[in-house]
């Protein structure tokens, strides 16, 4: 399968991908798909009559969020993607041959602004990497009992805050908060000293369930539209003081960045892999057979102000102990209703070796093993002026798709 649009070698946005996003140049933000180094304007080609017969209401791609399109359901998602692949395939001239339309519907990605692709109603953050949970438990509790008793029996999670989920590229100020030093008798207030990233991915709900109606583990993947990269920024010193007994609060809700292009479950299909073996056996509502994990290579870079990017972590989504299907089945088993556009993040994705740990907390082991940077500085946590970039892609049998990147720069705390 080849496209008539030039696709650079190692592009994340091959014809096998077709990820959905919201962009703007002139005029209103609207829906597009990424192909090579360009954006295809879905609103323009729909208006031109090239997306007929697949159940798309007039104007659905003119909305500044994808929720309306996503709510049309899985049959429409698949048909739209198939039709776009057809239009972009070498040998198809319906779009390629229409020069007037091409001028109005193809734009260089570098010339457009990307926006948050969905209106996020609710956001849940899981804690589903065994390696990450083990590292954190080893550091803060007891190496012999690093995992809490519930961890192997259910996908631990907490309800996060949707309002502070922002698009890649949005700078933010180092948050302030209340912390308690180890040797102190009273807390102090000020900028966090332990600002950290968390390498995560998030899935986006595409099919809602009614209040009181659980989603089974077998049907859970049908409820997921696609995935994005997710940087769940964390202030470790604030977290340590505030999190007992109800869990994370202000240490987590000051900013979380997402990548702009939603890679669909259809595009991810060829990259399925088995999950790690679950021992002890899980309860029956969490049991599933087959491959429900995905082989997605992940990378984190730190870019000090004015410097070149430095890779400090390489991990993979396939290390996740709990699958997205299990997370969603668990989330809804009590009857909790999910809505279109809701986001569920994986939790920090750490691998088995120190170079695959998905947070500075683990990479620097609570600051005891500083990372040497090429410019001669060192990092225990993230400094003002640093940009953190996360990337993700899948590759198998010569086919590559990817997520592009999520990037964010840390500005000094506000006075
Ligand atoms: Ca997190």
């Amino acid at each position: 399968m080849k496209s008539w649009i030039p696709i650079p070698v190692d592009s994340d946005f091959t014809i096998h991908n077709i990820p959905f996003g919201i962009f703007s140049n002139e005029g209103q933000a609207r829906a597009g798909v990424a192909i090579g180094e360009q954006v295809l304007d879905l609103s323009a080609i729909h208006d031109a009559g090239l997306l007929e017969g697949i159940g798309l209401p007039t104007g659905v791609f003119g909305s500044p969020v994808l929720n309306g399109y996503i709510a049309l359901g899985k049959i429409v998602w698949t048909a739209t993607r198939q039709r776009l692949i057809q239009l972009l395939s070498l040998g198809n001239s319906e779009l390629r041959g229409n020069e007037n339309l091409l001028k109005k519907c193809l734009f260089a990605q570098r010339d457009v602004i990307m926006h948050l692709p969905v209106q996020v109603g609710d956001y849940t953050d899981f804690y589903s990497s065994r390696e990450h949970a083990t590292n954190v438990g080893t550091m803060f509790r007891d190496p012999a009992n690093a995992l809490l008793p519930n961890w192997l029996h259910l996908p631990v999670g907490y309800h996060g805050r949707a309002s502070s989920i922002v698009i890649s590229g949005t700078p933010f100020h180092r948050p302030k908060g209340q912390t308690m030093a180890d040797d102190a008798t009273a807390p102090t207030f000020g900028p966090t000293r332990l600002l950290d990233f968390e390498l995560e991915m998030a899935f986006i709900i595409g099919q809602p369930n009614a209040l009181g109606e659980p989603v089974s583990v077998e049907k859970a993947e049908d409820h997921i539209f696609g995935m994005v990269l997710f940087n769940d920024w964390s202030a470790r010193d604030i977290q340590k003081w505030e999190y007992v007994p109800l869990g994370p609060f202000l240490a987590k809700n000051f900013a979380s960045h997402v990548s702009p292009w939603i890679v669909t479950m259809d595009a991810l299909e060829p990259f399925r892999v088995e999950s790690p073996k679950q021992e002890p056996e899980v309860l029956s509502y969490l049991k599933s057979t087959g491959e429900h994990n995905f082989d997605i290579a992940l990378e984190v870079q730190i870019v000090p102000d004015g410097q070149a990017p430095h890779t400090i972590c390489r991990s993979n989504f396939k290390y996740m102990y709990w699958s997205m299907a299990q997370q969603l089945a668990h989330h809804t088993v009590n009857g909790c209703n999910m809505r279109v556009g809701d986001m569920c993040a994986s939790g920090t994705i750490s691998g088995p070796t120190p170079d695959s740990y998905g947070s500075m907390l683990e990479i620097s082991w609570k600051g005891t093993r500083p990372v040497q940077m090429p410019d001669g500085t060192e990092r225990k946590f993230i400094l003002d002026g640093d940009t953190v970039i996360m990337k993700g892609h899948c590759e198998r049998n010569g086919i590559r798709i990817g997520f592009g990147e999520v990037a964010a720069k840390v500005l000094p705390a506000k006075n």
Side-chain angles (χ1 to χ4, degrees):
M1 208 156 57
K2 282 205 155 56
S3 177
W4 49 268
I5 292 194
I7 313 279
V9 177
D10 288 341
S11 172
D12 283 351
F13 307 125
T14 61
I15 193 165
H16 304 277
N17 194 350
I18 316 293
F20 288 72
I22 294 289
F23 76 99
S24 65
N25 42 11
E26 299 128 27
Q28 194 190 305
R30 54 204 188 275
V33 292
I35 179 79
E37 294 174 313
Q38 304 188 70
V39 181
L40 177 62
D41 183 336
L42 295 181
S43 182
I45 65 165
H46 190 208
D47 288 350
L50 288 178
L51 299 175
E52 295 301 302
I54 47 182
L56 297 168
T58 305
V60 69
F61 290 125
S63 167
V65 287
L66 286 166
N67 297 56
Y69 166 68
I70 293 172
L72 297 172
K74 189 178 163 77
I75 291 170
V76 174
W77 311 336
T78 299
T80 308
R81 180 168 170 276
Q82 286 309 321
R83 175 62 176 150
L84 291 169
I85 288 172
Q86 185 183 38
L87 287 170
L88 293 167
S89 288
L90 200 64
N92 184 297
S93 60
E94 290 173 83
L95 175 57
R96 186 186 195 177
N98 189 336
E99 272 183 37
N100 278 337
L101 180 57
L102 278 182
K103 279 182 216 147
K104 288 189 291 186
C105 74
L106 267 184
F107 308 103
Q109 283 168 25
R110 64 173 181 275
D111 294 337
V112 305
I113 298 166
M114 297 304 296
H115 303 267
L116 198 62
V118 287
Q119 183 181 357
V120 186
D122 281 297
Y123 158 54
T124 300
D125 192 22
F126 284 97
Y127 188 56
S128 286
S129 155
R130 183 175 189 159
E131 291 81 359
H132 174 67
T134 301
N135 286 338
V136 173
T138 299
M139 273 185 265
F140 290 101
R141 285 188 302 272
D142 173 11
N145 296 288
L147 293 180
L148 285 167
N150 61 3
W151 202 91
L152 294 169
H153 296 280
L154 57 84
V156 170
Y158 71 95
H159 285 130
R161 186 150 182 95
S163 62
S164 51
I165 295 178
V166 291
I167 191 68
S168 175
T170 310
F172 69 103
H173 292 272
R174 175 176 297 270
K176 293 178 179 176
Q178 195 179 124
T179 58
M180 179 71 135
D182 282 340
D183 51 357
T185 53
T188 52
F189 177 80
T192 175
R193 286 184 290 263
L194 309 182
L195 180 63
D196 202 353
F197 60 81
E198 290 190 330
L199 170 60
E200 304 196 20
M201 300 199 69
F203 66 83
I204 292 156
I205 296 294
Q207 182 183 328
N209 62 299
L211 185 65
E213 300 291 335
V215 176
S216 70
V217 72
E218 292 83 14
K219 296 221 169 100
E221 284 176 0
D222 292 344
H223 287 250
I224 300 173
F225 175 67
M227 296 177 72
V228 290
L229 300 167
F230 196 96
N231 183 352
D232 193 28
W233 293 96
S234 300
R236 300 298 181 192
D237 42 0
I238 297 171
Q239 182 179 357
K240 189 180 168 203
W241 173 230
E242 74 171 4
Y243 88 103
V244 179
L246 290 187
F249 187 30
L250 302 184
K252 300 278 187 172
N253 67 5
F254 53 91
S256 301
H257 285 77
V258 296
S259 54
W261 296 107
I262 305 174
V263 175
T264 64
M265 298 313 289
D266 279 345
L268 288 165
E269 189 63 37
F271 306 100
R272 283 182 183 274
V273 287
E274 276 187 28
S275 297
K277 184 171 168 52
Q278 294 187 320
E279 186 66 50
E281 204 173 324
V282 298
L283 290 172
S284 59
Y285 79 93
L286 290 169
K287 259 186 211 154
S288 63
T289 52
E291 300 175 323
H292 297 285
N293 211 331
F294 294 88
D295 183 358
I296 305 170
L298 301 167
E299 180 178 357
V300 182
Q301 299 174 323
I302 295 176
V303 193
D305 217 355
Q307 309 276 327
H310 178 60
T311 297
I312 51 154
C313 154
R314 285 193 172 87
S315 187
N316 195 304
F317 187 73
K318 73 182 177 187
Y319 297 133
M320 301 305 294
Y321 188 82
W322 295 102
S323 69
M324 293 185 284
Q326 289 176 314
Q327 289 170 339
L328 186 52
H330 182 69
H331 202 317
T332 60
V333 75
N334 65 346
C336 174
N337 53 324
M338 310 294 286
R339 294 175 295 189
V340 170
D342 286 358
M343 272 190 196
C344 293
S346 55
T348 305
I349 305 162
S350 292
T353 54
D355 59 353
S356 62
Y357 293 167
S359 66
M360 289 306 291
L361 177 69
E362 295 162 271
I363 293 169
S364 76
W365 209 255
K366 267 202 304 187
T368 60
R369 301 174 194 161
V371 175
Q372 297 304 315
M373 299 291 288
D375 64 359
T377 60
E378 62 177 35
R379 291 292 179 284
K380 297 173 179 172
F381 289 89
I382 300 303
L383 301 182
D384 292 347
D386 285 351
T387 298
V388 172
I389 300 176
M390 296 174 180
K391 302 179 185 196
H393 78 276
C394 312
E395 200 156 9
R396 190 180 278 182
N397 301 328
I399 292 176
R400 178 177 167 125
I401 66 168
F403 291 80
E405 63 179 40
V406 56
K409 182 170 186 173
V410 179
L411 306 176
K414 284 189 173 174
N415 286 324

